Amino acid sequence: SVILGCPMLTPLYPFMLNGKSSVENVKFVKPYSIIHGNESKGLNAKYLRLGESVYIPHSSSIDSLNLSIAAGISMWEAVKREM
């Protein structure tokens, strides 16, 4: 893939409410970048085309997770596979 005219050197994992893959099933390929949007709007839909879009399963009784909680979960899921 190419971003802003530059080749993408590392896999991107944009975390989105409508992501394609559950974080529980993603195989993070090193080196990689994890991307989160802001709490009110998340990431722009254009990020669905970049890398492997990921979602974090959560209760249907809440709209979304706090950004710091989502970031912690995503980093833990990525790192625990290396243990």
Side-chain angles (χ1 to χ4, degrees), residues 13-16 34-38 42-43 56 67 70-75:
Y13 298 95
F15 277 71
M16 308 177 77
I34 293 174
I35 305 170
H36 291 276
N38 66 41
L43 290 172
I56 298 171
L67 179 57
I73 292 170
S74 64
M75 289 184 276

Side-chain angles (χ1 to χ4, degrees), residues 56-68:
I56 298 171
H58 60 278
S59 168
S60 61
S61 64
I62 59 173
D63 292 329
S64 63
L65 298 172
N66 171 278
L67 179 57
S68 61

Side-chain angles (χ1 to χ4, degrees), residues 36-47:
H36 291 276
N38 66 41
E39 289 184 15
S40 63
K41 294 184 181 179
L43 290 172
N44 184 295
K46 292 177 183 178
Y47 281 90

